């Protein structure tokens, strides 16, 4: 049993996380600019995800000239680099809970319909099996984020 559940609720130390992201970018020959770093930091402190609008409002506190394209460009970069994910079902953006998507592996996201909590399921064997199974019938995932509606342990306990 090598399945590990990494609840997005429990972020690791922020500076370590951001430094790791910066190193990840450097290794790929791209740069985590201050704005991209700021957006990633905001996502990291809000494990349940933020909407682009929330990011813009928070960014404006620091950079009054920030506009929606500022936020979307930073998000596009973070998603391209595997540092963030878009949860389309909720229109939310979350930081990748690990710097694990260098290989552009799809991420599996459990979205709880009751509390809107998002958890990234870190199970490479499921992702590999899913990708292979889709390929066998000539399909390809449309995005790197696979969303699965699943009631979280806390909500299950509440009945
Ligand atoms: Zn829940």
């Amino acid at each position: 049993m090598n399945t590990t559940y990494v609840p997005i609720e429990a972020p690791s130390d922020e500076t370590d996380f951001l430094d790791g992201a910066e190193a990840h970018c450097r290794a790929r020959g791209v740069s985590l600019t201050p704005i991209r770093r700021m957006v990633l930091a905001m996502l990291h402190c809000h494990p349940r995800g933020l909407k682009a609008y929330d990011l813009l409002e928070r960014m404006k506190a620091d950079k009054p000239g920030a506009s929606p394209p500022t936020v979307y460009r930073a998000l596009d970069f973070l998603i391209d680099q595997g540092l963030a994910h878009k949860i389309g079902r909720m229109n939310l953006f979350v930081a990748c809970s690990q710097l694990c998507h260098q290989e552009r592996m799809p991420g599996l996201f459990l979205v709880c319909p009751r509390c809107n909590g998002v958890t990234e399921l870190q199970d490479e064997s499921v992702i590999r099996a899913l990708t292979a199974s889709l390929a066998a019938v000539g399909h390809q995932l449309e995005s790197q984020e696979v969303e699965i509606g699943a009631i979280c342990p806390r909500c299950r306990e509440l009945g």
Side-chain angles (χ1 to χ4, degrees):
M1 180 86 182
N2 57 6
T3 304
T4 49
Y5 297 90
V6 180
I8 297 185
E9 278 85 5
S12 56
D13 176 70
E14 180 172 329
T15 307
D16 282 358
F17 175 80
L18 293 172
D19 289 349
E22 208 159 317
H24 168 76
C25 288
R26 238 190 338 265
R28 296 173 62 127
V30 293
S31 155
L32 190 68
T33 60
I35 284 188
R36 293 164 176 173
R37 190 177 164 112
M38 184 195 287
V39 170
L40 185 59
M42 288 190 282
L43 293 178
H44 186 66
C45 330
H46 293 86
R48 285 172 165 265
L50 287 171
K51 292 183 187 285
Y53 174 83
D54 299 325
L55 285 163
L56 179 61
E57 286 306 297
R58 287 178 161 80
M59 193 187 268
K60 276 183 173 164
D62 230 50
K63 300 194 179 301
S67 62
T70 318
V71 172
Y72 281 111
R73 274 196 301 265
L75 285 169
D76 284 346
F77 172 86
L78 295 173
I79 291 167
D80 278 349
Q81 301 305 323
L83 295 169
H85 299 287
K86 182 180 184 192
I87 309 301
R89 187 185 293 229
M90 320 281 297
N91 239 324
L92 283 175
F93 296 90
V94 295
C96 182
S97 58
Q98 277 186 8
L99 300 175
C100 61
H101 298 304
Q102 286 97 328
E103 307 301 323
R104 298 302 285 137
M105 290 262 288
L108 296 178
F109 294 91
L110 308 178
V111 183
C112 176
R114 296 193 188 160
C115 67
N116 295 342
V118 177
T119 308
E120 186 168 357
L121 179 66
Q122 310 265 345
D123 187 338
E124 218 174 278
S125 62
V126 173
I127 296 169
R128 286 193 196 286
L130 181 65
T131 309
S133 179
L134 285 173
V137 291
H139 283 59
Q140 191 185 358
L141 287 173
E142 67 162 338
S143 87
Q144 292 296 107
E145 288 74 34
V146 180
E147 298 164 35
I148 300 169
I151 299 162
C152 74
R154 211 180 315 154
C155 289
R156 285 185 58 205
E157 221 166 78
L158 295 171

PDB file of all heavy atoms in Angstrom, residues 64-98:
ATOM      1  N   PRO A  64      -1.233  48.236  -6.235  1.00  0.00           N
ATOM      2  CA  PRO A  64      -2.524  48.820  -6.616  1.00  0.00           C
ATOM      3  C   PRO A  64      -2.773  48.782  -8.128  1.00  0.00           C
ATOM      4  O   PRO A  64      -3.923  48.776  -8.565  1.00  0.00           O
ATOM      5  CB  PRO A  64      -2.426  50.263  -6.108  1.00  0.00           C
ATOM      6  CG  PRO A  64      -1.338  50.242  -5.078  1.00  0.00           C
ATOM      7  CD  PRO A  64      -0.390  49.149  -5.465  1.00  0.00           C
ATOM      8  N   GLY A  65      -1.708  48.725  -8.929  1.00  0.00           N
ATOM      9  CA  GLY A  65      -1.889  48.727 -10.384  1.00  0.00           C
ATOM     10  C   GLY A  65      -2.193  47.357 -10.964  1.00  0.00           C
ATOM     11  O   GLY A  65      -2.358  47.228 -12.179  1.00  0.00           O
ATOM     12  N   ALA A  66      -2.290  46.347 -10.122  1.00  0.00           N
ATOM     13  CA  ALA A  66      -2.499  44.999 -10.634  1.00  0.00           C
ATOM     14  C   ALA A  66      -3.841  44.902 -11.360  1.00  0.00           C
ATOM     15  O   ALA A  66      -4.834  45.481 -10.926  1.00  0.00           O
ATOM     16  CB  ALA A  66      -2.452  43.984  -9.495  1.00  0.00           C
ATOM     17  N   SER A  67      -3.864  44.183 -12.482  1.00  0.00           N
ATOM     18  CA  SER A  67      -5.103  44.029 -13.262  1.00  0.00           C
ATOM     19  C   SER A  67      -5.323  42.536 -13.488  1.00  0.00           C
ATOM     20  O   SER A  67      -4.419  41.735 -13.264  1.00  0.00           O
ATOM     21  CB  SER A  67      -4.939  44.758 -14.593  1.00  0.00           C
ATOM     22  OG  SER A  67      -3.893  44.162 -15.319  1.00  0.00           O
ATOM     23  N   PRO A  68      -6.534  42.180 -13.942  1.00  0.00           N
ATOM     24  CA  PRO A  68      -6.766  40.743 -14.168  1.00  0.00           C
ATOM     25  C   PRO A  68      -5.685  40.060 -15.017  1.00  0.00           C
ATOM     26  O   PRO A  68      -5.254  38.959 -14.667  1.00  0.00           O
ATOM     27  CB  PRO A  68      -8.154  40.715 -14.826  1.00  0.00           C
ATOM     28  CG  PRO A  68      -8.840  41.928 -14.268  1.00  0.00           C
ATOM     29  CD  PRO A  68      -7.747  42.973 -14.147  1.00  0.00           C
ATOM     30  N   PRO A  69      -5.208  40.703 -16.124  1.00  0.00           N
ATOM     31  CA  PRO A  69      -4.166  40.002 -16.888  1.00  0.00           C
ATOM     32  C   PRO A  69      -2.901  39.707 -16.075  1.00  0.00           C
ATOM     33  O   PRO A  69      -2.229  38.697 -16.317  1.00  0.00           O
ATOM     34  CB  PRO A  69      -3.839  40.969 -18.038  1.00  0.00           C
ATOM     35  CG  PRO A  69      -5.045  41.825 -18.167  1.00  0.00           C
ATOM     36  CD  PRO A  69      -5.623  41.946 -16.782  1.00  0.00           C
ATOM     37  N   THR A  70      -2.588  40.580 -15.105  1.00  0.00           N
ATOM     38  CA  THR A  70      -1.409  40.336 -14.251  1.00  0.00           C
ATOM     39  C   THR A  70      -1.583  38.988 -13.552  1.00  0.00           C
ATOM     40  O   THR A  70      -0.660  38.177 -13.491  1.00  0.00           O
ATOM     41  CB  THR A  70      -1.287  41.431 -13.155  1.00  0.00           C
ATOM     42  OG1 THR A  70      -1.578  42.702 -13.713  1.00  0.00           O
ATOM     43  CG2 THR A  70       0.070  41.433 -12.511  1.00  0.00           C
ATOM     44  N   VAL A  71      -2.790  38.800 -13.010  1.00  0.00           N
ATOM     45  CA  VAL A  71      -3.074  37.579 -12.263  1.00  0.00           C
ATOM     46  C   VAL A  71      -3.114  36.378 -13.211  1.00  0.00           C
ATOM     47  O   VAL A  71      -2.503  35.346 -12.947  1.00  0.00           O
ATOM     48  CB  VAL A  71      -4.420  37.705 -11.510  1.00  0.00           C
ATOM     49  CG1 VAL A  71      -4.831  36.386 -10.887  1.00  0.00           C
ATOM     50  CG2 VAL A  71      -4.316  38.781 -10.437  1.00  0.00           C
ATOM     51  N   TYR A  72      -3.810  36.515 -14.323  1.00  0.00           N
ATOM     52  CA  TYR A  72      -3.941  35.370 -15.237  1.00  0.00           C
ATOM     53  C   TYR A  72      -2.609  34.965 -15.850  1.00  0.00           C
ATOM     54  O   TYR A  72      -2.343  33.781 -16.023  1.00  0.00           O
ATOM     55  CB  TYR A  72      -4.987  35.658 -16.327  1.00  0.00           C
ATOM     56  CG  TYR A  72      -6.389  35.476 -15.793  1.00  0.00           C
ATOM     57  CD1 TYR A  72      -7.249  36.547 -15.613  1.00  0.00           C
ATOM     58  CD2 TYR A  72      -6.840  34.194 -15.434  1.00  0.00           C
ATOM     59  CE1 TYR A  72      -8.525  36.371 -15.098  1.00  0.00           C
ATOM     60  CE2 TYR A  72      -8.111  34.004 -14.918  1.00  0.00           C
ATOM     61  CZ  TYR A  72      -8.951  35.096 -14.762  1.00  0.00           C
ATOM     62  OH  TYR A  72     -10.207  34.904 -14.241  1.00  0.00           O
ATOM     63  N   ARG A  73      -1.758  35.971 -16.151  1.00  0.00           N
ATOM     64  CA  ARG A  73      -0.442  35.617 -16.710  1.00  0.00           C
ATOM     65  C   ARG A  73       0.371  34.824 -15.689  1.00  0.00           C
ATOM     66  O   ARG A  73       1.022  33.844 -16.040  1.00  0.00           O
ATOM     67  CB  ARG A  73       0.330  36.873 -17.151  1.00  0.00           C
ATOM     68  CG  ARG A  73      -0.018  37.323 -18.567  1.00  0.00           C
ATOM     69  CD  ARG A  73       1.029  38.289 -19.104  1.00  0.00           C
ATOM     70  NE  ARG A  73       1.142  39.469 -18.262  1.00  0.00           N
ATOM     71  CZ  ARG A  73       0.492  40.618 -18.494  1.00  0.00           C
ATOM     72  NH1 ARG A  73      -0.301  40.737 -19.549  1.00  0.00           N
ATOM     73  NH2 ARG A  73       0.649  41.642 -17.677  1.00  0.00           N
ATOM     74  N   ALA A  74       0.330  35.277 -14.424  1.00  0.00           N
ATOM     75  CA  ALA A  74       1.073  34.567 -13.373  1.00  0.00           C
ATOM     76  C   ALA A  74       0.503  33.155 -13.189  1.00  0.00           C
ATOM     77  O   ALA A  74       1.255  32.183 -13.056  1.00  0.00           O
ATOM     78  CB  ALA A  74       1.020  35.347 -12.065  1.00  0.00           C
ATOM     79  N   LEU A  75      -0.830  33.040 -13.200  1.00  0.00           N
ATOM     80  CA  LEU A  75      -1.455  31.714 -13.039  1.00  0.00           C
ATOM     81  C   LEU A  75      -1.087  30.790 -14.198  1.00  0.00           C
ATOM     82  O   LEU A  75      -0.773  29.620 -13.983  1.00  0.00           O
ATOM     83  CB  LEU A  75      -2.979  31.864 -12.946  1.00  0.00           C
ATOM     84  CG  LEU A  75      -3.510  32.399 -11.612  1.00  0.00           C
ATOM     85  CD1 LEU A  75      -4.991  32.748 -11.736  1.00  0.00           C
ATOM     86  CD2 LEU A  75      -3.298  31.396 -10.476  1.00  0.00           C
ATOM     87  N   ASP A  76      -1.124  31.325 -15.422  1.00  0.00           N
ATOM     88  CA  ASP A  76      -0.769  30.501 -16.589  1.00  0.00           C
ATOM     89  C   ASP A  76       0.648  29.965 -16.441  1.00  0.00           C
ATOM     90  O   ASP A  76       0.915  28.789 -16.721  1.00  0.00           O
ATOM     91  CB  ASP A  76      -0.857  31.320 -17.887  1.00  0.00           C
ATOM     92  CG  ASP A  76      -2.300  31.519 -18.325  1.00  0.00           C
ATOM     93  OD1 ASP A  76      -3.191  30.820 -17.785  1.00  0.00           O
ATOM     94  OD2 ASP A  76      -2.529  32.373 -19.199  1.00  0.00           O
ATOM     95  N   PHE A  77       1.537  30.850 -15.992  1.00  0.00           N
ATOM     96  CA  PHE A  77       2.922  30.429 -15.809  1.00  0.00           C
ATOM     97  C   PHE A  77       3.007  29.307 -14.770  1.00  0.00           C
ATOM     98  O   PHE A  77       3.616  28.272 -15.006  1.00  0.00           O
ATOM     99  CB  PHE A  77       3.783  31.618 -15.356  1.00  0.00           C
ATOM    100  CG  PHE A  77       5.178  31.227 -14.958  1.00  0.00           C
ATOM    101  CD1 PHE A  77       6.189  31.111 -15.897  1.00  0.00           C
ATOM    102  CD2 PHE A  77       5.479  30.938 -13.623  1.00  0.00           C
ATOM    103  CE1 PHE A  77       7.473  30.713 -15.528  1.00  0.00           C
ATOM    104  CE2 PHE A  77       6.757  30.539 -13.244  1.00  0.00           C
ATOM    105  CZ  PHE A  77       7.751  30.426 -14.197  1.00  0.00           C
ATOM    106  N   LEU A  78       2.371  29.515 -13.630  1.00  0.00           N
ATOM    107  CA  LEU A  78       2.452  28.532 -12.537  1.00  0.00           C
ATOM    108  C   LEU A  78       1.862  27.191 -12.964  1.00  0.00           C
ATOM    109  O   LEU A  78       2.385  26.133 -12.636  1.00  0.00           O
ATOM    110  CB  LEU A  78       1.739  29.064 -11.285  1.00  0.00           C
ATOM    111  CG  LEU A  78       2.370  30.312 -10.649  1.00  0.00           C
ATOM    112  CD1 LEU A  78       1.475  30.846  -9.528  1.00  0.00           C
ATOM    113  CD2 LEU A  78       3.766  30.028 -10.113  1.00  0.00           C
ATOM    114  N   ILE A  79       0.779  27.238 -13.719  1.00  0.00           N
ATOM    115  CA  ILE A  79       0.147  26.000 -14.187  1.00  0.00           C
ATOM    116  C   ILE A  79       1.060  25.305 -15.202  1.00  0.00           C
ATOM    117  O   ILE A  79       1.285  24.105 -15.128  1.00  0.00           O
ATOM    118  CB  ILE A  79      -1.257  26.302 -14.762  1.00  0.00           C
ATOM    119  CG1 ILE A  79      -2.193  26.715 -13.616  1.00  0.00           C
ATOM    120  CG2 ILE A  79      -1.811  25.094 -15.509  1.00  0.00           C
ATOM    121  CD1 ILE A  79      -3.506  27.324 -14.045  1.00  0.00           C
ATOM    122  N   ASP A  80       1.631  26.100 -16.134  1.00  0.00           N
ATOM    123  CA  ASP A  80       2.551  25.523 -17.132  1.00  0.00           C
ATOM    124  C   ASP A  80       3.736  24.842 -16.466  1.00  0.00           C
ATOM    125  O   ASP A  80       4.259  23.858 -16.975  1.00  0.00           O
ATOM    126  CB  ASP A  80       3.114  26.613 -18.044  1.00  0.00           C
ATOM    127  CG  ASP A  80       2.160  26.954 -19.158  1.00  0.00           C
ATOM    128  OD1 ASP A  80       1.169  26.214 -19.334  1.00  0.00           O
ATOM    129  OD2 ASP A  80       2.397  27.965 -19.852  1.00  0.00           O
ATOM    130  N   GLN A  81       4.179  25.397 -15.356  1.00  0.00           N
ATOM    131  CA  GLN A  81       5.361  24.849 -14.688  1.00  0.00           C
ATOM    132  C   GLN A  81       4.992  23.755 -13.684  1.00  0.00           C
ATOM    133  O   GLN A  81       5.851  23.278 -12.949  1.00  0.00           O
ATOM    134  CB  GLN A  81       6.145  25.970 -13.970  1.00  0.00           C
ATOM    135  CG  GLN A  81       6.618  27.081 -14.896  1.00  0.00           C
ATOM    136  CD  GLN A  81       7.438  26.557 -16.072  1.00  0.00           C
ATOM    137  OE1 GLN A  81       8.206  25.618 -15.938  1.00  0.00           O
ATOM    138  NE2 GLN A  81       7.261  27.162 -17.237  1.00  0.00           N
ATOM    139  N   GLY A  82       3.718  23.414 -13.619  1.00  0.00           N
ATOM    140  CA  GLY A  82       3.307  22.348 -12.711  1.00  0.00           C
ATOM    141  C   GLY A  82       3.309  22.763 -11.251  1.00  0.00           C
ATOM    142  O   GLY A  82       3.358  21.923 -10.364  1.00  0.00           O
ATOM    143  N   LEU A  83       3.252  24.066 -10.989  1.00  0.00           N
ATOM    144  CA  LEU A  83       3.290  24.545  -9.605  1.00  0.00           C
ATOM    145  C   LEU A  83       1.898  24.829  -9.054  1.00  0.00           C
ATOM    146  O   LEU A  83       1.716  24.981  -7.853  1.00  0.00           O
ATOM    147  CB  LEU A  83       4.136  25.823  -9.512  1.00  0.00           C
ATOM    148  CG  LEU A  83       5.619  25.643  -9.846  1.00  0.00           C
ATOM    149  CD1 LEU A  83       6.299  26.997  -9.997  1.00  0.00           C
ATOM    150  CD2 LEU A  83       6.315  24.814  -8.783  1.00  0.00           C
ATOM    151  N   ALA A  84       0.935  24.952  -9.949  1.00  0.00           N
ATOM    152  CA  ALA A  84      -0.425  25.238  -9.513  1.00  0.00           C
ATOM    153  C   ALA A  84      -1.386  24.471 -10.410  1.00  0.00           C
ATOM    154  O   ALA A  84      -1.015  24.015 -11.497  1.00  0.00           O
ATOM    155  CB  ALA A  84      -0.717  26.736  -9.580  1.00  0.00           C
ATOM    156  N   HIS A  85      -2.595  24.332  -9.935  1.00  0.00           N
ATOM    157  CA  HIS A  85      -3.622  23.631 -10.698  1.00  0.00           C
ATOM    158  C   HIS A  85      -4.886  24.463 -10.715  1.00  0.00           C
ATOM    159  O   HIS A  85      -5.164  25.191  -9.769  1.00  0.00           O
ATOM    160  CB  HIS A  85      -3.962  22.289 -10.048  1.00  0.00           C
ATOM    161  CG  HIS A  85      -2.806  21.359  -9.972  1.00  0.00           C
ATOM    162  ND1 HIS A  85      -2.301  20.714 -11.073  1.00  0.00           N
ATOM    163  CD2 HIS A  85      -2.037  20.969  -8.930  1.00  0.00           C
ATOM    164  CE1 HIS A  85      -1.280  19.960 -10.707  1.00  0.00           C
ATOM    165  NE2 HIS A  85      -1.094  20.099  -9.408  1.00  0.00           N
ATOM    166  N   LYS A  86      -5.647  24.300 -11.782  1.00  0.00           N
ATOM    167  CA  LYS A  86      -6.963  24.925 -11.832  1.00  0.00           C
ATOM    168  C   LYS A  86      -7.999  23.838 -11.613  1.00  0.00           C
ATOM    169  O   LYS A  86      -8.000  22.816 -12.309  1.00  0.00           O
ATOM    170  CB  LYS A  86      -7.191  25.576 -13.192  1.00  0.00           C
ATOM    171  CG  LYS A  86      -8.536  26.265 -13.246  1.00  0.00           C
ATOM    172  CD  LYS A  86      -8.795  26.932 -14.573  1.00  0.00           C
ATOM    173  CE  LYS A  86     -10.120  27.666 -14.466  1.00  0.00           C
ATOM    174  NZ  LYS A  86     -10.614  28.101 -15.749  1.00  0.00           N
ATOM    175  N   ILE A  87      -8.845  24.043 -10.619  1.00  0.00           N
ATOM    176  CA  ILE A  87      -9.941  23.119 -10.378  1.00  0.00           C
ATOM    177  C   ILE A  87     -11.146  23.713 -11.086  1.00  0.00           C
ATOM    178  O   ILE A  87     -11.815  24.609 -10.580  1.00  0.00           O
ATOM    179  CB  ILE A  87     -10.222  22.956  -8.863  1.00  0.00           C
ATOM    180  CG1 ILE A  87      -8.925  22.619  -8.101  1.00  0.00           C
ATOM    181  CG2 ILE A  87     -11.280  21.898  -8.614  1.00  0.00           C
ATOM    182  CD1 ILE A  87      -8.242  21.352  -8.557  1.00  0.00           C
ATOM    183  N   GLY A  88     -11.384  23.231 -12.304  1.00  0.00           N
ATOM    184  CA  GLY A  88     -12.392  23.849 -13.169  1.00  0.00           C
ATOM    185  C   GLY A  88     -13.791  23.801 -12.606  1.00  0.00           C
ATOM    186  O   GLY A  88     -14.566  24.737 -12.740  1.00  0.00           O
ATOM    187  N   ARG A  89     -14.093  22.675 -11.930  1.00  0.00           N
ATOM    188  CA  ARG A  89     -15.423  22.490 -11.375  1.00  0.00           C
ATOM    189  C   ARG A  89     -15.786  23.639 -10.432  1.00  0.00           C
ATOM    190  O   ARG A  89     -16.926  24.047 -10.337  1.00  0.00           O
ATOM    191  CB  ARG A  89     -15.423  21.168 -10.598  1.00  0.00           C
ATOM    192  CG  ARG A  89     -16.754  20.726 -10.081  1.00  0.00           C
ATOM    193  CD  ARG A  89     -16.579  19.480  -9.223  1.00  0.00           C
ATOM    194  NE  ARG A  89     -16.156  18.332 -10.019  1.00  0.00           N
ATOM    195  CZ  ARG A  89     -16.741  17.131  -9.959  1.00  0.00           C
ATOM    196  NH1 ARG A  89     -17.761  16.939  -9.178  1.00  0.00           N
ATOM    197  NH2 ARG A  89     -16.299  16.149 -10.679  1.00  0.00           N
ATOM    198  N   MET A  90     -14.786  24.131  -9.711  1.00  0.00           N
ATOM    199  CA  MET A  90     -15.022  25.180  -8.730  1.00  0.00           C
ATOM    200  C   MET A  90     -14.484  26.534  -9.193  1.00  0.00           C
ATOM    201  O   MET A  90     -14.633  27.515  -8.493  1.00  0.00           O
ATOM    202  CB  MET A  90     -14.317  24.845  -7.415  1.00  0.00           C
ATOM    203  CG  MET A  90     -14.396  23.393  -7.012  1.00  0.00           C
ATOM    204  SD  MET A  90     -15.959  23.020  -6.288  1.00  0.00           S
ATOM    205  CE  MET A  90     -15.827  24.076  -4.879  1.00  0.00           C
ATOM    206  N   ASN A  91     -13.792  26.527 -10.334  1.00  0.00           N
ATOM    207  CA  ASN A  91     -13.128  27.741 -10.772  1.00  0.00           C
ATOM    208  C   ASN A  91     -12.118  28.246  -9.754  1.00  0.00           C
ATOM    209  O   ASN A  91     -12.005  29.445  -9.501  1.00  0.00           O
ATOM    210  CB  ASN A  91     -14.136  28.824 -11.058  1.00  0.00           C
ATOM    211  CG  ASN A  91     -14.010  29.276 -12.484  1.00  0.00           C
ATOM    212  OD1 ASN A  91     -12.879  29.324 -13.005  1.00  0.00           O
ATOM    213  ND2 ASN A  91     -15.106  29.580 -13.121  1.00  0.00           N
ATOM    214  N   LEU A  92     -11.441  27.324  -9.145  1.00  0.00           N
ATOM    215  CA  LEU A  92     -10.482  27.650  -8.095  1.00  0.00           C
ATOM    216  C   LEU A  92      -9.077  27.314  -8.568  1.00  0.00           C
ATOM    217  O   LEU A  92      -8.887  26.407  -9.374  1.00  0.00           O
ATOM    218  CB  LEU A  92     -10.747  26.789  -6.854  1.00  0.00           C
ATOM    219  CG  LEU A  92     -11.908  27.152  -5.958  1.00  0.00           C
ATOM    220  CD1 LEU A  92     -12.047  26.107  -4.868  1.00  0.00           C
ATOM    221  CD2 LEU A  92     -11.703  28.533  -5.361  1.00  0.00           C
ATOM    222  N   PHE A  93      -8.129  28.034  -8.012  1.00  0.00           N
ATOM    223  CA  PHE A  93      -6.735  27.708  -8.267  1.00  0.00           C
ATOM    224  C   PHE A  93      -6.110  27.252  -6.962  1.00  0.00           C
ATOM    225  O   PHE A  93      -6.373  27.831  -5.907  1.00  0.00           O
ATOM    226  CB  PHE A  93      -5.999  28.937  -8.813  1.00  0.00           C
ATOM    227  CG  PHE A  93      -6.536  29.368 -10.148  1.00  0.00           C
ATOM    228  CD1 PHE A  93      -7.582  30.286 -10.230  1.00  0.00           C
ATOM    229  CD2 PHE A  93      -6.035  28.825 -11.320  1.00  0.00           C
ATOM    230  CE1 PHE A  93      -8.109  30.663 -11.461  1.00  0.00           C
ATOM    231  CE2 PHE A  93      -6.552  29.198 -12.556  1.00  0.00           C
ATOM    232  CZ  PHE A  93      -7.593  30.117 -12.622  1.00  0.00           C
ATOM    233  N   VAL A  94      -5.295  26.212  -7.030  1.00  0.00           N
ATOM    234  CA  VAL A  94      -4.601  25.726  -5.837  1.00  0.00           C
ATOM    235  C   VAL A  94      -3.120  25.549  -6.179  1.00  0.00           C
ATOM    236  O   VAL A  94      -2.769  25.311  -7.337  1.00  0.00           O
ATOM    237  CB  VAL A  94      -5.161  24.366  -5.331  1.00  0.00           C
ATOM    238  CG1 VAL A  94      -6.598  24.494  -4.859  1.00  0.00           C
ATOM    239  CG2 VAL A  94      -5.056  23.276  -6.393  1.00  0.00           C
ATOM    240  N   ALA A  95      -2.293  25.687  -5.147  1.00  0.00           N
ATOM    241  CA  ALA A  95      -0.871  25.387  -5.339  1.00  0.00           C
ATOM    242  C   ALA A  95      -0.742  23.877  -5.392  1.00  0.00           C
ATOM    243  O   ALA A  95      -1.478  23.152  -4.733  1.00  0.00           O
ATOM    244  CB  ALA A  95      -0.052  25.946  -4.184  1.00  0.00           C
ATOM    245  N   CYS A  96       0.208  23.387  -6.186  1.00  0.00           N
ATOM    246  CA  CYS A  96       0.469  21.950  -6.193  1.00  0.00           C
ATOM    247  C   CYS A  96       0.982  21.596  -4.811  1.00  0.00           C
ATOM    248  O   CYS A  96       1.861  22.264  -4.282  1.00  0.00           O
ATOM    249  CB  CYS A  96       1.510  21.615  -7.252  1.00  0.00           C
ATOM    250  SG  CYS A  96       1.832  19.866  -7.338  1.00  0.00           S
ATOM    251  N   SER A  97       0.425  20.549  -4.211  1.00  0.00           N
ATOM    252  CA  SER A  97       0.792  20.249  -2.833  1.00  0.00           C
ATOM    253  C   SER A  97       2.200  19.680  -2.740  1.00  0.00           C
ATOM    254  O   SER A  97       2.789  19.638  -1.678  1.00  0.00           O
ATOM    255  CB  SER A  97      -0.222  19.307  -2.205  1.00  0.00           C
ATOM    256  OG  SER A  97      -0.294  18.130  -2.952  1.00  0.00           O
ATOM    257  N   GLN A  98       2.728  19.236  -3.826  1.00  0.00           N
ATOM    258  CA  GLN A  98       4.133  18.832  -3.867  1.00  0.00           C
ATOM    259  C   GLN A  98       4.690  19.353  -5.170  1.00  0.00           C
ATOM    260  O   GLN A  98       3.946  19.609  -6.087  1.00  0.00           O
ATOM    261  CB  GLN A  98       4.260  17.307  -3.905  1.00  0.00           C
ATOM    262  CG  GLN A  98       4.174  16.674  -2.551  1.00  0.00           C
ATOM    263  CD  GLN A  98       4.467  15.182  -2.659  1.00  0.00           C
ATOM    264  OE1 GLN A  98       4.862  14.686  -3.710  1.00  0.00           O
ATOM    265  NE2 GLN A  98       4.268  14.496  -1.578  1.00  0.00           N
TER     266      GLN A  98
END
